[in-house]
Amino acid sequence: MTAETSPTAGLEAAFLEHREKLLRFLRARGAGDAAEDLVQEVWLKISDSRLGPVASPLSYLFRTADLLMIDRFRSTRQADVRDRDWSDVNAGDPPGVSAEPSAERRMAAAQEAASVLALLDGLGTRTATIFRRHRIEGTAQKVVAAEMGLSLSTVESDLRIAYRALAEWKERSK
């Protein structure tokens, strides 16, 4: 039996003729971006199948596409439930481990923060103020410049000084 006379040849011809209809059908049913993948799965399914002649190839194709979309939806939903359940079970701290940092880590972080603040203060009041307003408080550079009566380029220059000093501090503390 040749490919042209095989029972699936008619189904494959119907698929090729109505491929765009299948895409529109799947998108209308909510497949969205997965429509192309589902149409490809329909093709793989019919090209690998050993069916006898199909009385209504177009109906068969639409039903196959619909069932594949439902399978994908269920699979996605089950994966989401499985992931959520796993997260619920494994959320929180492992037994015997606290989410709170140790006293040593808190002490080290406080010392590091004090060191950074001292470094900023050592750059001068204006540079330290500009850095704090922009990087810590999130104020736009233009607003900082206007509030302090400075040009935008002066604010940018002072920020570069602060960034350079912090980069050097970070390099030294490695």
Side-chain angles (χ1 to χ4, degrees):
M1 198 180 278
T2 66
E4 293 173 4
T5 60
S6 74
T8 59
L11 201 52
E12 290 173 359
F15 174 87
L16 293 173
E17 182 180 341
H18 300 288
R19 185 179 187 287
E20 290 302 315
K21 283 184 185 177
L22 283 170
L23 272 173
R24 284 194 305 275
F25 169 75
L26 289 168
R27 286 185 181 128
R29 300 260 302 138
D33 294 336
E36 284 286 345
D37 293 340
L38 288 166
V39 167
Q40 181 65 25
E41 286 182 46
V42 170
W43 173 259
L44 292 173
K45 189 168 183 77
I46 64 170
S47 64
D48 288 344
S49 67
R50 303 283 180 240
L51 297 172
V54 176
S56 180
L58 188 57
S59 296
Y60 179 84
L61 291 172
F62 278 102
R63 182 70 179 147
T64 301
D66 189 44
L67 290 173
L68 286 171
M69 189 177 83
I70 291 169
D71 286 348
R72 183 174 282 206
F73 171 76
R74 286 180 181 158
S75 175
T76 302
R77 187 180 63 203
Q78 287 172 343
D80 290 345
V81 168
R82 185 176 53 249
D83 290 346
R84 187 179 59 247
D85 289 347
W86 186 90
S87 295
D88 291 346
V89 168
N90 294 301
D93 302 327
V97 177
S98 172
E100 289 294 315
S102 66
E104 293 84 17
R105 291 192 79 157
R106 282 196 303 265
M107 177 82 70
Q111 288 173 349
E112 192 172 305
S115 176
V116 168
L117 291 173
L119 171 76
L120 287 173
D121 289 339
L123 298 175
T125 305
R126 185 180 78 190
T127 302
T129 302
I130 289 172
F131 182 83
R132 284 185 179 105
R133 292 282 294 136
H134 178 64
R135 293 299 297 182
I136 297 172
E137 297 173 13
T139 307
Q141 291 178 13
K142 287 182 181 180
V143 173
V144 172
E147 288 175 354
M148 296 182 74
L150 303 170
S151 69
L152 182 58
S153 62
T154 301
V155 169
E156 291 171 345
S157 175
D158 281 356
L159 284 172
R160 277 192 300 275
I161 292 168
Y163 294 148
R164 189 175 309 112
L166 287 171
E168 290 169 0
W169 173 85
K170 187 175 180 181
E171 195 62 38
R172 284 190 311 267
S173 63
K174 281 186 180 179

